[in-house]
Amino acid sequence: MEKPSTPVATSDAPHSFRYYDLVMAAFVAILLLSNLIGASKPSYIPLPGGETWIFGAGVLFFPISYIIGDVLTEVYGYARARRVIWTGFAALLFMAFMAWVVVSLPPADGWPFQSDYENVFGNSWRIVLASMTAFWVGEFANSYVLAKMKVWTQGRFLWMRTIGSTVVGQGLDSLIFYPLAFWGIAGWPPETLVQVVISQWLIKTAWEALLTPITYLVINALKRREGIDLYDTETDFSPFATTEKGDA
């Protein structure tokens, strides 16, 4: 039976959704790839006068995970978003463990790429801890702010909710990750860290604002297809809650 074309506002989630699993898969895939490929490389943009502005390369793609996080919270509610955040956290943990095991294995005789492999995948546990801590805090803050603002605004001003939650979530993510991961490490003087933290925060927020029309399209399409518009009026917002009203 087809879902109604007009979303029904409610605080009770159904037991299943049509597209929730696909959105979860997209979130976890982007999260893993952005952390694996771009998290530890600083790049730069040339400025007038010969100056440069330094930023973390992962910022180009990682914010997409926050946009998908906004979609999850707005369409499927905080409880479902919480489940996805914990799934992403577990995936990051397994990725770190797998990288450690594979890098630690002795290479076969004649294989010349062990040092390259270590440089690419051999992140220290300090970086892993920083990444996972920043992700956990930032994502839950983003989802919490968005869900609360939706109730406060009675579902209006979606652009304000997505950008506002990103300012908080991405700000905490950047503020936690880079100092915790790179403070005191060669090639990361304090002035570079400050530049990267600020640029990460600004670029991520700008990405969210720039992609707001796409976010609107995706959210509205999913709400119509799912036939529901969830409000977290009776939700337990603890990150550690396992069951609650409306969560299947």
Side-chain angles (χ1 to χ4, degrees):
M1 182 176 178
E2 287 293 323
K3 298 285 186 178
S5 58
T6 302
V8 177
T10 180
S11 61
D12 291 320
H15 289 286
S16 63
F17 289 99
R18 300 171 68 183
Y19 299 99
Y20 172 73
D21 292 342
L22 295 177
V23 180
M24 175 190 287
F27 177 88
V28 174
I30 293 171
L31 174 68
L32 293 180
L33 291 173
S34 60
N35 276 273
L36 182 65
I37 297 173
S40 60
K41 179 181 178 179
S43 187
Y44 70 93
I45 297 173
L47 299 176
E51 299 293 327
T52 60
W53 184 264
I54 300 173
F55 66 96
V59 74
L60 297 177
F61 297 97
F62 179 68
I64 299 176
S65 68
Y66 266 76
I67 293 171
I68 297 178
D70 288 345
V71 171
L72 280 162
T73 304
E74 178 68 24
V75 177
Y76 300 105
Y78 180 88
R80 297 277 178 158
R82 174 174 54 211
R83 185 179 300 179
V84 174
I85 293 170
W86 278 113
T87 301
F89 186 84
L92 283 176
L93 183 62
F94 178 77
M95 182 182 72
F97 174 73
M98 180 177 176
W100 173 73
V101 170
V102 173
V103 169
S104 300
L105 289 173
D109 291 340
W111 193 65
F113 304 113
Q114 177 64 17
S115 61
D116 297 329
Y117 213 78
E118 291 173 356
N119 288 334
V120 174
F121 298 108
N123 285 334
S124 68
W125 282 103
R126 177 180 172 179
I127 294 177
V128 171
L129 176 62
S131 177
M132 296 184 67
T133 303
F135 162 77
W136 192 89
V137 173
E139 283 290 348
F140 272 115
N142 181 80
S143 186
Y144 175 84
V145 171
L146 183 64
K148 283 293 188 180
M149 288 184 69
K150 183 176 183 178
V151 175
W152 296 339
T153 63
Q154 299 180 346
R156 296 171 295 173
F157 312 119
L158 176 58
W159 62 270
M160 183 190 302
R161 304 200 303 273
T162 58
I163 296 175
S165 63
T166 296
V167 169
V168 176
Q170 295 280 22
L172 288 171
D173 184 284
S174 300
L175 186 62
I176 291 171
F177 174 69
Y178 280 95
L180 192 58
F182 301 113
W183 183 269
I185 293 179
W188 287 89
E191 57 271 20
T192 296
L193 277 174
V194 171
Q195 271 197 18
V196 170
V197 168
I198 294 175
S199 63
Q200 288 279 100
W201 188 22
L202 293 176
I203 293 173
K204 290 172 181 177
T205 304
W207 259 120
E208 177 73 59
L210 183 65
L211 295 177
T212 293
I214 297 176
T215 305
Y216 264 77
L217 289 174
V218 173
I219 285 175
N220 290 333
L222 284 173
K223 283 182 179 179
R224 287 194 301 269
R225 290 180 179 273
E226 301 289 8
I228 196 170
D229 188 11
L230 280 175
Y231 287 78
D232 288 292
T233 56
E234 302 179 42
T235 299
D236 182 352
F237 283 96
S238 169
F240 305 101
T242 55
T243 59
E244 60 190 81
K245 181 178 176 61
D247 187 18

